[in-house]
Amino acid sequence: MIRLPSYLFFIGGFFSYASIFFASPAVSMTMSIIGMIISLYIWYVLARNRDIHLKIMKVRKLIAEENLRNLKIYPNARLWVILYSASFIVMNISGLFVIKAIIDNVDVTLEAPRMEELIEMLGTGYVLFSWVFFLSGIASILLYAKLIVLLYNDEMKIQSLEGKARNIPLLVTKPLSVILVLLFTLVTYGLFSWFMRYRLSSFQKLHNFFEKKLDSESMKLVSLQERGQDREVKSESEELAKDLLKKYSESLSRVNGPEDRKEVIALLFKDLGDLKTDQARSLLDQLLSKELLSENEFNRLIRLLV
């Protein structure tokens, strides 16, 4: 996941709201654009983190397509962020044209004209941009509501499913009321939106921390189990080497005829295949040191092992 630093929210909020305190239109517009870019980037990252997390859960078989359908979890939130971004940008650009048309054509020191006179004075361009502003504004509100459901409320559903499968604590315990969020966002002039996204980003980072910690503990457990199995295999192999040493020490010391000896040597070579190379060599060294194997037999067996 992409981690959003806390200061990015404060910087984005500062550029978004500080622009109203500057008299210079160029400075004010530049700051507004920077704030808008940061805001839309945050929306996209939150959606990307959510989609990637969902994809990983599906790959790990922690969530099934049936669960997504039952809980109405849409798999691609980034598409809706892109649509929201386009609508939001169009709303802001058309709003600027509307404001510019009013400033350029209306003298605020005079008596306010009637609506018919204002439309005639500003021309069809003003009417067109006003309609674009109105429609894109409605679309932005509806898409904003959709993002609340996709990013915040779906996060609760996704964490709930993973929590049941992996015993991870649920961080988002209650869904947000879309109506209340819209109301608070409008009343606070968008400030509540920054707070909500900061909170959601914190939840994503904390949940990701729990996931990584759980993965680390799982890997440690698997490593310990593998080491335990290796120790068991090694212990069994060492026990087998001792049994073979005892067995062939007795067999080679009792054998008389050359044919019987060849048969015992052949059986020894066959049993050496059950040992690791270093253990097999060690066994042959011990038989050679006890003079139960000749130099020629020892060298031949070593060559066959290699």
Side-chain angles (χ1 to χ4, degrees):
M1 66 172 290
I2 298 176
R3 291 179 174 271
L4 291 168
S6 300
Y7 62 81
L8 188 64
F9 292 87
F10 295 103
I11 292 174
F14 171 78
F15 277 102
S16 296
Y17 297 104
S19 59
I20 62 177
F21 299 105
F22 288 86
S24 171
V27 174
S28 180
M29 185 175 293
T30 301
M31 293 185 72
S32 295
I33 291 172
I34 294 173
M36 182 173 63
I37 291 171
I38 294 174
S39 177
L40 296 178
Y41 171 74
I42 289 172
W43 276 118
Y44 183 82
V45 170
L46 291 173
R48 180 187 179 278
N49 290 344
R50 177 254 198 204
D51 291 348
I52 295 298
H53 182 208
L54 200 58
K55 185 178 179 181
I56 291 172
M57 285 180 64
K58 288 167 68 176
V59 170
R60 292 183 175 183
K61 308 297 183 184
L62 297 174
I63 189 171
E65 289 291 343
E66 186 179 355
N67 298 129
L68 299 181
R69 286 193 298 270
N70 292 338
L71 293 173
K72 298 179 180 179
I73 299 175
Y74 189 72
N76 188 0
R78 281 172 286 186
L79 173 62
W80 292 96
V81 170
I82 292 170
L83 292 174
Y84 170 76
S85 300
S87 175
F88 189 75
I89 291 170
V90 169
M91 181 187 70
N92 279 272
I93 292 174
S94 59
L96 288 174
F97 276 104
V98 169
I99 293 170
K100 184 177 183 301
I102 293 174
I103 292 174
D104 290 345
N105 295 284
V106 178
D107 189 350
V108 294
T109 61
L110 300 177
E111 183 181 351
R114 294 196 306 274
M115 183 57 67
E116 295 80 3
E117 294 175 348
L118 183 64
I119 293 173
E120 186 179 351
M121 187 186 305
L122 297 176
T124 55
Y126 166 78
V127 176
L128 176 63
F129 282 115
S130 295
W131 273 105
V132 171
F133 175 77
F134 174 74
L135 294 175
S136 59
I138 296 296
S140 296
I141 292 173
L142 294 175
L143 289 168
Y144 176 67
K146 181 70 175 178
L147 291 182
I148 295 166
V149 174
L150 287 174
L151 299 183
Y152 199 98
N153 293 349
D154 277 6
E155 186 69 22
M156 182 195 69
K157 300 175 187 177
I158 295 167
Q159 287 187 15
S160 177
L161 288 171
E162 188 172 16
K164 291 176 183 176
R166 305 188 68 193
N167 196 27
I168 295 178
L170 185 63
L171 300 175
V172 184
T173 55
K174 292 181 180 179
L176 288 177
S177 167
V178 175
I179 300 298
L180 285 177
V181 171
L182 287 174
L183 182 63
F184 277 116
T185 302
L186 292 172
V187 169
T188 60
Y189 193 57
L191 194 61
F192 184 77
S193 172
W194 288 94
F195 168 75
M196 181 194 68
R197 284 177 287 169
Y198 175 77
R199 185 178 172 83
L200 178 58
S201 176
S202 300
F203 286 149
Q204 286 185 348
K205 285 188 282 189
L206 188 56
H207 187 81
N208 182 251
F209 169 77
F210 286 140
E211 282 183 317
K212 286 185 176 180
K213 188 173 182 180
L214 190 60
D215 289 339
S216 176
E217 293 297 326
S218 299
M219 289 178 66
K220 286 180 182 177
L221 181 60
V222 170
S223 179
L224 288 172
Q225 290 174 343
E226 288 177 348
R227 268 188 250 164
Q229 290 173 353
D230 289 342
R231 280 196 295 268
E232 288 178 10
V233 170
K234 185 178 180 182
S235 177
E236 290 174 1
S237 185
E238 289 175 351
E239 193 66 33
L240 178 61
K242 289 179 183 178
D243 292 341
L244 290 177
L245 177 61
K246 182 179 179 182
K247 174 184 175 181
Y248 286 101
S249 293
E250 294 173 356
S251 299
L252 289 169
S253 61
R254 289 198 310 264
V255 74
N256 293 319
E259 292 301 323
D260 291 339
R261 188 172 182 82
K262 284 181 182 179
E263 185 178 343
V264 172
I265 296 294
L267 289 172
L268 171 61
F269 175 70
K270 178 177 175 294
D271 287 338
L272 288 175
D274 296 331
L275 300 175
K276 293 181 180 179
T277 304
D278 57 336
Q279 290 176 328
R281 189 181 183 93
S282 174
L283 190 150
L284 292 176
D285 285 334
Q286 292 180 67
L287 292 175
L288 179 64
S289 65
K290 293 180 179 180
E291 297 183 351
L292 296 173
L293 284 178
S294 65
E295 287 282 350
N296 187 38
E297 289 169 338
F298 174 81
N299 291 330
R300 188 165 68 250
L301 288 170
I302 290 294
R303 283 197 299 271
L304 290 172
L305 282 175
V306 174

